[in-house]
């Protein structure tokens, strides 16, 4: 098996690694509105009946979701006023007064604490697949914008601009899209060793990403440089669904990092 085949096999395993049932992951967003939008996105991706649990600080909110519909709030969050009245009651449609009332409860919770995790378990009650508010109507009722954050360039173009501007400052780079190495520059030997280094780095990076970046990371850059000697420094950059590994002399890596920072700065 070639070095790149091993790297792509590693990427496949890491990106497809499933979480244990009920294992939490961060709900991305640093404001109440952003967290509500992220929740609507989660609902839109949930087909099977699931109990979604939002946990933050001393608060826990449990929602029944199925068929891309928000069906009900389950156990009340005792510390949030108005939650007990809604607990267990199915949401009939987007016009029901419970829909804005539930948004107000979520806004209260997210205004108190923005560090929320979300987990999913099999739903142990049944509301029927056609019960609840579809995610698209929920987004409209809750004032969630369909537009993403404004950026001058799409993630693919940001990375392309970064890599094409590196020129002779680097000894090698690998561009990664999903589970494949889509482009590369450098000698065969340096690319081979960079691929091995990338596989080792990603094994720890994907496993600890949410601990390293508790807020919405958007675009990331990580530099690893030797303390001494003549070995190359390595930089990993990621934006959207694309990423790259760059190898360069240690005295070149700081200007490269600054170039990336300037390119992705909002």
């Amino acid at each position: 098996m070639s070095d790149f085949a091993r790297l792509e096999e590693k990427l496949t395993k890491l990106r497809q690694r499933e979480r244990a049932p009920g294992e939490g992951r961060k709900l991305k967003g640093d404001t109440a509105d952003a967290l509500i939008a992220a929740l609507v996105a989660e609902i839109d991706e949930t087909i099977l009946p699931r109990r979604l649990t939002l946990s933050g600080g001393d608060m826990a909110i449990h929602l029944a979701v199925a068929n891309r519909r928000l069906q009900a709030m389950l156990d009340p969050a005792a510390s949030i006023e108005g939650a007990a009245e809604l607990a267990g009651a199915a949401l009939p449609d987007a016009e029901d007064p419970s829909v804005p009332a539930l948004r107000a409860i979520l806004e209260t919770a997210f205004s108190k604490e923005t560090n929320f995790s979300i987990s999913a378990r099999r739903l142990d009650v049944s509301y029927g697949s056609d019960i609840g508010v579809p995610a698209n109507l929920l987004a409209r009722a809750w004032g969630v914008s369909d537009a993403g954050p404004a950026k001058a360039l799409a993630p693919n173009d940001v990375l392309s601009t970064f890599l094409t501007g590196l020129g002779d400052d680097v000894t090698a780079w690998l561009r990664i899209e999903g589970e494949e190495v889509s482009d590369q520059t450098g000698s065969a030997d340096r690319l081979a060793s960079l691929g091995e280094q990338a596989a080792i780095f990603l094994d720890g990076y994907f496993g600890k990403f949410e601990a390293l970046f508790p807020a919405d990371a958007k675009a990331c850059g990580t530099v690893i440089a030797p303390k001494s000697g003549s070995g190359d420094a390595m930089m990993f950059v990621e934006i959207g669904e694309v990423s790259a590994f760059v190898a360069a002399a240690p005295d070149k890596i700081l200007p490269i990092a600054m170039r990336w920072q300037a390119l992705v700065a909002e």
Side-chain angles (χ1 to χ4, degrees):
M1 182 182 293
S2 70
D3 296 301
F4 292 125
R6 282 196 292 273
L7 175 58
E8 289 176 346
E9 182 182 55
K10 172 73 75 173
L11 286 165
T12 299
K13 289 179 179 178
L14 291 172
R15 291 189 184 275
Q16 293 181 349
R17 181 160 49 196
E18 294 185 359
R19 297 176 182 271
E23 183 180 349
R25 51 194 167 76
K26 182 173 173 58
L27 189 66
K28 298 296 180 69
D30 53 9
T31 66
D33 286 344
L35 290 167
I36 288 172
L39 175 59
V40 171
E42 292 281 348
I43 293 168
D44 194 37
E45 294 173 2
T46 304
I47 307 298
L48 298 176
R50 290 292 182 263
R51 178 190 185 98
L52 298 187
T53 297
L54 305 169
S55 303
D58 61 352
M59 293 175 285
I61 301 171
H62 307 275
L63 304 173
V65 177
N67 199 27
R68 303 172 69 184
R69 295 168 178 259
L70 175 59
Q71 298 184 313
M73 186 177 74
L74 298 172
D75 306 338
S79 61
I80 303 175
E81 184 178 354
E85 288 80 356
L86 295 182
L91 300 174
D93 55 57
E95 305 302 322
D96 191 84
S98 297
V99 175
L102 181 50
R103 190 198 191 282
I105 289 169
L106 291 168
E107 185 173 8
T108 297
F110 294 153
S111 297
K112 291 179 179 179
E113 171 65 61
T114 58
N115 188 17
F116 267 81
S117 65
I118 183 168
S119 60
R121 291 185 181 275
R122 183 175 297 177
L123 188 61
D124 54 5
V125 295
S126 177
Y127 289 95
S129 61
D130 59 341
I131 298 298
V133 182
N136 61 332
L137 298 182
L138 188 66
R140 189 179 307 165
W142 283 359
V144 173
S145 172
D146 292 331
K151 283 191 176 291
L153 295 173
N156 263 311
D157 296 330
V158 171
L159 189 61
S160 294
T161 300
F162 174 67
L163 293 175
T164 55
L166 293 174
D168 297 333
D169 287 345
V170 299
T171 56
W173 55 255
L174 298 172
R175 179 186 177 116
I176 297 171
E177 298 186 31
E179 298 158 12
E180 297 181 351
V181 176
S182 61
D183 201 359
Q184 63 194 50
T185 288
S187 68
D189 289 346
R190 188 63 189 95
L191 285 169
S193 61
L194 184 58
E196 292 290 342
Q197 292 167 335
I200 294 169
F201 173 84
L202 288 174
D203 197 14
Y205 179 82
F206 284 146
K208 298 296 183 181
F209 181 86
E210 290 174 1
L212 290 169
F213 301 103
D216 190 356
K218 296 182 181 177
C220 302
T222 305
V223 173
I224 302 173
K227 184 176 181 180
S228 60
S230 58
D232 280 348
M234 184 180 76
M235 183 174 182
F236 173 69
V237 298
E238 181 177 32
I239 183 169
E241 298 299 317
V242 292
S243 57
F245 282 90
V246 175
D251 62 337
K252 299 284 189 180
I253 204 69
L254 181 57
I256 289 171
M258 293 174 66
R259 187 182 305 158
W260 172 255
Q261 186 177 34
L263 189 60
V264 300
E266 296 182 346

